[in-house]
């Protein structure tokens, strides 16, 4: 602006406000705002009118048949501020809806986001066919449970494929392209990548859950089936799997012992497990009965 307000100490709030209230822009005449009720009424009428226009557009067979804004809508728009002119809004809406790929792109992104959220949502085992335990598993009940839940099976398969796709694609490329197709009988690229891919296999087993951790444990002692680099990495699954929370472990112990306070059973119990595997972890404790007997407490 050509003129600035006089300097006023920032600590003097009332003087500062008075100064700006008296300050006039010589070339700008700001209108007073219309009543709130008038704005609300105008916008409600605008929404209703535009809804009718879009409905007629969606029922048309071609985007080229898009009609001009109806007179009722134009009349409403004329009541809005000059920055939102009839021509401006007509051009904006016509451009957006005449090129249908805008709508298709938004729909595709929305559907993709919903699909990812569905894949990453936890599986519902609230109606599991049998209770947890070492002697409750039934193959027949398990088979019937999953046959009645094909979407759960599909969701799990998609998630498994998504998590492991980078690993399997890289392995296949080294073996098929750099090995077989390029006539490398020694499979040099495949062997060179073994230490790195073995670490990836370990992380995958941990991500994919107890079933794959059990599989990794079994393969860790089968160097006749997997390269030695893989077996060495997978041996970490025998006692160094990321543990579940100690709070959950203590809840399980209280339930198993039938007590509300574990101090009646143990005078000491470590806060963190000393070892953890696929379905259980071990804590070090001292029995409360004599205060000296050390025990290993395995929680599954």
């Amino acid at each position: 602006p050509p003129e600035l307000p006089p300097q006023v100490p920032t600590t003097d709030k009332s003087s500062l406000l008075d100064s700006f209230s008296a300050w006039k822009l010589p070339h700008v005449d700001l209108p007073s705002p219309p009543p709130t009720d008038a704005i609300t009424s105008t916008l409600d009428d605008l929404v209703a009118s535009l809804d009718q226009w879009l409905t007629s557009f969606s029922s048309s067979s071609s985007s080229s048949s898009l009609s001009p804004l109806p007179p009722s809508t134009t009349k409403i728009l004329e009541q809005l501020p000059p920055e939102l002119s009839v021509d401006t809004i007509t051009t904006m809406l016509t451009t957006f809806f005449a090129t249908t790929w805008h709508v298709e792109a938004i729909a595709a992104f929305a559907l993709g986001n919903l699909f990812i959220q569905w894949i990453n949502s936890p599986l519902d085992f609230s109606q599991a066919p049998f209770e947890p335990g070492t002697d409750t598993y039934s193959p027949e009940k398990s088979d019937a449970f999953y046959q009645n839940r094909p979407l759960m099976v599909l969701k799990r398969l998609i998630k498994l494929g998504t998590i492991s796709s980078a690993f399997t694609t890289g392995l296949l490329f080294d073996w098929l392209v750099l090995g077989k197709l390029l006539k490398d009988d020694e499979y040099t690229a495949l062997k060179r990548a073994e230490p790195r891919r073995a670490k990836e296999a370990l992380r995958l087993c941990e991500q994919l859950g107890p079933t794959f951790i059990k599989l990794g444990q079994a393969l860790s002692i089968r160097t006749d089936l997997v390269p030695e680099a893989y077996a060495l990495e997978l041996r970490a699954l025998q006692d160094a799997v990321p543990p579940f929370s100690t709070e959950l472990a203590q809840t399980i112990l209280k339930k198993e012992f039938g007590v509300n306070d574990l101090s009646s059973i143990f005078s000491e119990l470590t806060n963190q497990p000393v070892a953890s595997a696929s379905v259980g972890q071990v804590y070090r404790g001292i029995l409360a009965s004599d205060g000296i007997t050390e025990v290993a407490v395995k929680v599954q």
Side-chain angles (χ1 to χ4, degrees):
E3 297 178 4
L4 294 175
Q7 295 295 327
V8 179
T10 55
T11 53
D12 190 348
K13 185 175 180 180
S14 59
S15 298
L16 182 63
L17 292 176
D18 292 341
S19 174
F20 274 97
S21 298
W23 178 39
K24 301 290 185 179
L25 291 175
H27 304 296
V28 177
D29 184 16
L30 298 177
S32 58
T36 303
D37 292 343
I39 295 177
T40 303
S41 176
T42 299
L43 290 179
D44 288 342
D45 293 341
L46 176 61
V47 169
S49 180
L50 284 176
D51 183 62
Q52 294 178 359
W53 178 67
L54 293 177
T55 301
S56 65
F57 163 67
S58 62
S59 62
S60 63
S61 59
S62 171
S63 60
S64 60
S65 62
L66 186 65
S67 61
L69 289 175
S72 58
T73 305
T74 302
K75 184 176 180 181
I76 295 172
L77 290 175
E78 289 173 349
Q79 304 176 38
L80 296 175
E83 291 82 2
L84 299 176
S85 64
V86 175
D87 292 339
T88 300
I89 293 183
T90 302
T91 302
M92 178 182 67
L93 292 175
T94 303
T95 302
F96 183 82
F97 287 101
T99 53
T100 56
W101 70 267
H102 289 150
V103 182
E104 293 169 356
I106 292 174
F109 279 117
L111 290 175
N113 185 51
L114 289 175
F115 179 75
I116 292 173
Q117 289 183 4
W118 177 67
I119 292 297
N120 291 329
S121 62
L123 296 174
D124 180 17
F125 289 106
S126 59
Q127 299 179 347
F130 39 77
E131 293 294 325
T134 57
D135 57 354
T136 56
Y137 174 71
S138 169
E140 293 78 16
K141 291 182 179 179
S142 181
D143 187 46
F145 176 82
Y146 286 109
Q147 280 189 357
N148 293 329
R149 293 164 175 80
L151 283 180
M152 178 185 285
V153 176
L154 176 64
K155 177 180 175 179
R156 179 60 174 165
L157 290 175
I158 293 175
K159 189 164 187 177
L160 292 178
T162 302
I163 294 175
S164 61
S165 59
F167 175 80
T168 52
T169 301
L171 201 63
L172 186 63
F173 181 81
D174 289 346
W175 173 72
L176 182 61
V177 178
L178 301 181
K180 280 190 172 297
L181 294 183
L182 295 182
K183 308 297 183 182
D184 181 8
D185 296 333
E186 299 295 327
Y187 294 100
T188 307
L190 188 64
K191 293 179 178 178
R192 188 188 306 121
E194 278 182 0
R196 174 172 56 84
R197 296 206 188 281
K199 295 181 184 297
E200 294 177 3
L202 173 62
R203 288 194 298 270
L204 273 177
C205 287
E206 294 173 346
Q207 279 184 282
L208 294 174
T211 300
F212 288 87
I213 291 175
K214 281 292 186 186
L215 178 61
Q217 289 174 344
L219 290 176
S220 69
I221 57 174
R222 296 298 303 271
T223 52
D224 58 323
L225 296 179
V226 297
E228 186 175 358
Y230 284 81
L232 289 173
E233 286 292 338
L234 294 175
R235 284 173 192 170
L237 296 174
Q238 296 179 10
D239 60 2
V241 175
F244 52 86
S245 70
T246 295
E247 290 78 10
L248 176 57
Q250 291 176 348
T251 300
I252 295 172
L253 286 174
K254 291 176 183 177
K255 180 180 178 181
E256 293 291 329
F257 284 116
V259 298
N260 294 323
D261 188 357
L262 290 176
S263 63
S264 61
I265 307 295
F266 306 102
S267 59
E268 291 184 21
L269 191 66
T270 55
N271 290 325
Q272 298 298 326
V274 295
S276 55
S278 57
V279 294
Q281 53 200 40
V282 179
Y283 294 84
R284 185 188 301 273
I286 298 179
L287 293 180
S289 56
D290 59 11
I292 57 173
T293 303
E294 291 187 281
V295 292
V297 185
K298 183 177 181 180
V299 186
Q300 290 185 307

